[in-house]
Amino acid sequence: TRSCDDAPEHEVVYVNECLSEETVPRYEKCAVAGLKLKSSDNFAQLDQIRCYIQRGIEVERLIDSDVDCSNLLTDLLWYFVTNTDTGIGTIINPALVDSEELTATGRYLRANKLFFDDAIAEPVNLRSWLARVAPSVLCYTTIKNGKLSIEPALPYHADGVIDTTQPVPIAGMFTDGNIIEDSFEVDWLELEDRKLFQAAILFRESRVNEFPSQRTVVVRYKTDDRYTLPIEEFEFTHITNIEHALKTARYFLSVRKHQTHTVTFRTLPWGLSLAPGQYIRVASEISPYNPANNGIVKADGTVIAAQPLSNGSYNVYYWNKDSENVSEGTMTVTDGGTSEFRDTVFSVKGNNQTSQVYQIESLDVDQDGIVTITASNYPVDSSGRSVIAREVLNVNDDFETVGGQ
């Protein structure tokens, strides 16, 4: 504890002389505020001082490559890991944090006006604090190649704006042809974690030279039972505008409604160039949907399928490592081979087949070179666009709002 925590450490009882200083003093690594009082009878006592500080501490701004105050969570994280006084720069090597990824995420935060406007007054555990705060700016924490970072939770355009118009880029396709036998597992979320609710976001509204005030906005789906759904509160004092609060609320609701399970499977590293956060498509006979047949086409045209394909033409989904999206086409099989779609993974379209996209959570490689992939289902519409991104921006007017004013 500090001597000034419970009572004043110093008291000014009388001032009888004011002197100007030839050299302006510098108080390094201190937060400094000045108070000017003139001799009068207006102040009998001054119990507590409240001040409005318009600019925060100066930090290295990754996007702008300069030093100034910032309200981006990515700049704050970089400050924490590089500063040796108030951060953890003495116990962690900054090389263990991906500054390039933080810079890209910072552009996403700035483009979508997802700011962190708050003071951290007490010591925090960095990892747990990031895991709690990151979803409120539509991001999540990752560790890639041993490096900590924050990444956008939604697809976005080159300028950083959330993408609601383009299909999510598919980085790989997995079927029974390239999933190791008996390694596929589905883990469904508990029913309690999938129930709909009304999201109440408590945020802070602040005006210059005025005391901040707390605002609450409630967001819910326009369902018939919306008024009977339980309310879950989320208090984020770093959110200071209504649009940010609405995006956060809609994001929490959309994730609860649409993300229902995760899959884990093992595969060979053939042609893989994947990382956590990327999107993949999975088609397996024991996955949450039932494709008719799956397999791969080798470089020489040999077709290897879960069930041998007789001669004929088949409508398929197919993907190769040079593609960003899964395509559809017709594959002609003759004597166990084909002249189309060399070096591809395919899934034969069936009458009951649906398309399922997943977002990679983790990748692990064992000593034998076998890759274990864990991914959560990521909802897309019939055009392959992110359902969550479209709901966050309320493209289809799926939500109603109460309060916030």
Side-chain angles (χ1 to χ4, degrees):
T1 60
R2 298 168 296 181
S3 59
C4 60
D5 284 341
D6 300 322
E9 188 175 58
H10 303 287
E11 293 184 6
V12 178
V13 296
Y14 194 78
V15 177
N16 58 10
E17 186 178 12
C18 295
L19 300 175
S20 61
E21 302 189 68
E22 296 180 359
T23 304
V24 178
R26 296 181 61 85
Y27 301 93
E28 299 289 346
K29 302 174 182 177
C30 291
V32 180
L35 176 65
K36 185 176 182 179
L37 294 176
K38 294 184 178 181
S39 177
S40 71
D41 296 330
N42 294 334
F43 289 95
Q45 64 180 17
L46 191 62
D47 294 329
Q48 187 176 15
I49 298 176
R50 296 180 176 88
C51 59
Y52 181 89
I53 300 177
Q54 194 164 9
R55 294 168 59 85
I57 58 174
E58 293 186 345
V59 301
E60 180 182 352
R61 301 195 302 179
L62 297 173
I63 299 176
D64 305 290
S65 300
D66 62 4
V67 176
D68 203 344
C69 57
S70 173
N71 56 4
L72 298 180
L73 183 61
T74 48
D75 290 337
L76 180 58
L77 173 58
W78 185 246
Y79 171 80
F80 277 152
V81 300
T82 56
N83 187 274
T84 57
D85 296 305
T86 57
I88 56 175
T90 58
I91 59 177
I92 188 173
N93 188 337
L96 298 178
V97 178
D98 193 338
S99 60
E100 292 185 2
E101 190 65 50
L102 288 179
T103 303
T105 303
R107 294 190 179 95
Y108 163 85
L109 296 176
R110 180 178 290 180
N112 296 288
K113 296 180 172 57
L114 304 170
F115 300 126
F116 185 94
D117 292 307
D118 201 6
I120 301 176
E122 300 294 336
V124 296
N125 179 290
L126 184 60
R127 290 285 298 276
S128 60
W129 177 80
L130 275 178
R132 182 180 67 84
V133 173
S136 68
V137 292
L138 313 189
C139 292
Y140 61 93
T141 57
T142 62
I143 295 181
K144 293 181 182 179
N145 299 320
K147 292 186 176 184
L148 175 67
S149 185
I150 306 172
E151 292 195 22
L154 303 174
Y156 57 96
H157 295 289
D159 59 0
V161 176
I162 294 173
D163 182 4
T164 62
T165 59
Q166 300 298 319
V168 296
I170 302 299
M173 182 173 177
F174 297 90
T175 71
D176 289 338
N178 58 351
I179 295 177
I180 294 178
E181 187 176 0
D182 298 328
S183 70
F184 191 93
E185 298 179 358
V186 181
D187 185 15
W188 293 90
L189 296 177
E190 296 292 337
L191 182 61
E192 191 67 26
D193 296 329
R194 295 162 54 190
K195 290 182 177 179
L196 290 182
F197 62 95
Q198 303 178 67
I201 304 295
L202 283 65
F203 65 101
R204 181 170 51 88
E205 186 178 75
S206 180
R207 295 186 177 91
V208 176
N209 294 329
E210 294 184 11
F211 291 119
S213 57
Q214 188 180 76
R215 296 285 185 266
T216 302
V217 59
V218 178
V219 181
R220 56 199 175 212
Y221 280 103
K222 293 180 178 178
T223 57
D224 294 337
D225 62 344
R226 58 187 179 275
Y227 302 115
T228 62
L229 295 176
I231 296 178
E232 294 188 18
E233 289 189 356
F234 305 88
E235 183 175 0
F236 296 116
T237 55
H238 61 273
I239 296 179
T240 56
N241 71 80
I242 182 65
E243 288 303 321
H244 184 173
L246 291 174
K247 290 175 183 176
T248 300
R250 292 193 290 253
Y251 174 70
F252 289 167
L253 290 170
S254 187
V255 168
R256 174 68 68 89
K257 179 180 180 180
H258 298 292
Q259 290 192 343
T260 58
H261 65 279
T262 61
V263 296
T264 302
F265 58 88
R266 304 174 72 208
T267 185
L268 296 174
W270 173 80
L272 292 183
S273 180
L274 302 175
Q278 291 183 319
Y279 305 99
I280 58 175
R281 181 168 287 172
V282 178
S284 172
E285 291 184 351
I286 59 173
S287 70
Y289 55 93
N290 298 307
N293 209 343
N294 313 283
I296 62 174
V297 180
K298 290 186 172 182
D300 62 0
T302 302
V303 176
I304 299 178
Q307 299 177 2
L309 298 180
S310 57
N311 294 346
S313 297
Y314 300 86
N315 294 322
V316 298
Y317 294 110
Y318 68 94
W319 175 86
N320 62 53
K321 60 183 180 180
D322 297 322
S323 301
E324 287 191 354
N325 294 294
V326 174
S327 303
E328 299 181 34
T330 301
M331 181 175 67
T332 302
V333 177
T334 304
D335 298 329
T338 183
S339 58
E340 301 105 355
F341 314 136
R342 304 290 177 94
D343 281 331
T344 62
V345 179
F346 71 88
S347 177
V348 178
K349 296 170 64 177
N351 293 331
N352 297 320
Q353 185 174 13
T354 59
S355 179
Q356 188 72 288
V357 174
Y358 293 83
Q359 187 173 30
I360 298 175
E361 293 183 357
S362 66
L363 292 162
D364 297 297
V365 183
D366 64 20
Q367 60 184 4
D368 297 323
I370 303 299
V371 181
T372 300
I373 298 176
T374 301
S376 57
N377 75 297
Y378 194 83
V380 296
D381 61 15
S382 58
S383 299
R385 301 171 298 189
S386 169
V387 170
I388 295 178
R390 292 176 65 82
E391 291 192 351
V392 164
L393 298 185
N394 205 19
V395 174
N396 298 321
D397 194 26
D398 297 312
F399 301 90
E400 69 177 23
T401 302
V402 179
Q405 304 298 324

